[in-house]
């Protein structure tokens, strides 16, 4: 029905209750970005976090979970899209923008449905977060930055550039090479 916020998902003709608070979705996204987790482990985290009781048909349950996390939309292919947003890195930027959109401090609310949070997120207007995303988007598409954007980028490069996360295995290899080169 139009306007209802799902608190369960249908799998195999049965309804399975989900944890629909926005914090759960953000926790799942944090796991999705964890370079130390395998794809299987990321799926497992998603299912365990979202579902109160994990359905037997985990493949369908996962597809439904992704549908829910995408706000009820079928996800578009993201294979060749460059990342312009990181939930964890950008936390200090997007929460003030979401709070402005919502008109209150969302983190202090006892419960906000994920889709409601996405609605607030999609209504973010002009501000620091929007400027950062705009610059990242232009850079990812190879578009020329305006003079003020270049100046802003130079001044705030640390905030604007998305940090590449490396796995603990990659870090161990870097440390090993540094030790070999006497830089450890």
């Amino acid at each position: 029905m139009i306007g209802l916020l799902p608190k369960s998902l249908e799998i195999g003709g049965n309804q399975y209750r989900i944890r629909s608070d926005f914090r759960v979705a953000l926790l799942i996204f944090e796991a999705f970005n964890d370079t130390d987790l395998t794809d299987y482990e990321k799926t497992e985290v998603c299912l365990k976090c979202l579902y109160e009781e994990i359905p037997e048909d985990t493949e369908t349950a996962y597809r439904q979970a992704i549908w829910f996390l995408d706000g009820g939309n079928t996800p578009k292919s993201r294979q060749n899209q460059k990342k312009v947003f990181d939930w964890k890195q950008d936390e200090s930027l997007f929460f003030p923008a979401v709070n402005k959109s919502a008109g209150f401090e969302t983190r202090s609310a006892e419960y906000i449905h994920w889709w409601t949070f996405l609605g607030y997120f999609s209504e973010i207007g002009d501000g620091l977060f929007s400027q950062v995303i705009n610059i990242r988007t232009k850079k990812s598409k190879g578009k020329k930055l305006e003079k003020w954007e270049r100046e802003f980028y130079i001044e705030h490069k640390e905030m604007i550039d998305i940090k590449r996360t490396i796995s603990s295995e990659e870090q161990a290899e870097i440390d090993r090479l540094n030790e070999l080169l006497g830089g450890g």
Side-chain angles (χ1 to χ4, degrees), residues 82-111:
K82 289 194 178 177
K83 187 175 181 178
V84 296
F85 176 70
D86 184 279
W87 287 102
K88 188 170 185 155
Q89 178 182 325
D90 295 330
E91 180 179 7
S92 65
L93 297 175
F94 76 78
F95 268 116
V98 166
N99 293 342
K100 183 178 176 185
S101 171
F104 63 95
E105 173 55 67
T106 54
R107 291 170 288 193
S108 66
E110 195 169 312
Y111 170 84

Side-chain angles (χ1 to χ4, degrees), residues 61-153:
Y62 183 71
R63 269 197 316 273
Q64 285 291 85
I66 297 303
W67 173 84
F68 174 76
L69 293 169
D70 278 342
N73 297 313
T74 305
K76 299 167 191 75
S77 174
R78 296 183 177 108
Q79 286 180 334
N80 295 326
Q81 292 179 350
K82 289 194 178 177
K83 187 175 181 178
V84 296
F85 176 70
D86 184 279
W87 287 102
K88 188 170 185 155
Q89 178 182 325
D90 295 330
E91 180 179 7
S92 65
L93 297 175
F94 76 78
F95 268 116
V98 166
N99 293 342
K100 183 178 176 185
S101 171
F104 63 95
E105 173 55 67
T106 54
R107 291 170 288 193
S108 66
E110 195 169 312
Y111 170 84
I112 298 174
H113 192 280
W114 172 238
W115 288 8
T116 301
F117 187 85
L118 281 178
Y120 296 145
F121 187 85
S122 69
E123 291 301 316
I124 291 173
D126 287 337
L128 179 60
F129 178 69
S130 298
Q131 287 177 349
V132 168
I133 296 300
N134 182 52
I135 290 170
R136 284 180 187 163
T137 302
K138 279 185 168 183
K139 287 180 64 58
S140 76
K141 294 180 178 182
K143 292 186 176 181
K144 187 176 179 179
L145 297 178
E146 301 291 329
K147 182 180 179 196
W148 74 268
E149 291 170 323
R150 282 192 309 276
E151 291 170 0
F152 186 84
Y153 175 73

Side-chain angles (χ1 to χ4, degrees), residues 1-181:
M1 175 163 213
I2 294 176
L4 293 181
L5 299 171
K7 293 188 177 183
S8 66
L9 296 174
E10 184 179 331
I11 292 103
N14 296 313
Q15 292 292 322
Y16 289 86
R17 290 195 50 77
I18 58 171
R19 296 175 185 92
S20 57
D21 186 65
F22 78 96
R23 293 166 192 88
V24 174
L26 296 180
L27 183 65
I28 292 168
F29 292 143
E30 195 170 338
F32 284 170
N33 286 328
D34 188 333
T35 56
D36 286 325
L37 295 178
T38 66
D39 287 345
Y40 176 83
E41 291 168 327
K42 291 174 184 185
T43 299
E44 194 173 63
V45 168
C46 175
L47 296 176
K48 285 182 178 179
C49 287
L50 189 63
Y51 290 95
E52 290 181 10
E53 178 185 336
I54 299 175
E56 282 187 37
D57 182 356
T58 55
E59 188 176 320
T60 302
Y62 183 71
R63 269 197 316 273
Q64 285 291 85
I66 297 303
W67 173 84
F68 174 76
L69 293 169
D70 278 342
N73 297 313
T74 305
K76 299 167 191 75
S77 174
R78 296 183 177 108
Q79 286 180 334
N80 295 326
Q81 292 179 350
K82 289 194 178 177
K83 187 175 181 178
V84 296
F85 176 70
D86 184 279
W87 287 102
K88 188 170 185 155
Q89 178 182 325
D90 295 330
E91 180 179 7
S92 65
L93 297 175
F94 76 78
F95 268 116
V98 166
N99 293 342
K100 183 178 176 185
S101 171
F104 63 95
E105 173 55 67
T106 54
R107 291 170 288 193
S108 66
E110 195 169 312
Y111 170 84
I112 298 174
H113 192 280
W114 172 238
W115 288 8
T116 301
F117 187 85
L118 281 178
Y120 296 145
F121 187 85
S122 69
E123 291 301 316
I124 291 173
D126 287 337
L128 179 60
F129 178 69
S130 298
Q131 287 177 349
V132 168
I133 296 300
N134 182 52
I135 290 170
R136 284 180 187 163
T137 302
K138 279 185 168 183
K139 287 180 64 58
S140 76
K141 294 180 178 182
K143 292 186 176 181
K144 187 176 179 179
L145 297 178
E146 301 291 329
K147 182 180 179 196
W148 74 268
E149 291 170 323
R150 282 192 309 276
E151 291 170 0
F152 186 84
Y153 175 73
I154 290 167
E155 288 179 37
H156 303 284
K157 187 176 184 353
E158 185 70 24
M159 174 180 48
I160 296 171
D161 288 344
I162 293 184
K163 286 130 189 86
R164 181 181 175 273
T165 53
I166 58 173
S167 69
S168 54
E169 288 175 349
E170 290 172 311
Q171 185 60 54
E173 181 63 12
I174 291 168
D175 293 344
R176 186 184 73 76
L177 291 172
N178 281 335
E179 189 67 34
L180 287 172
L181 297 172

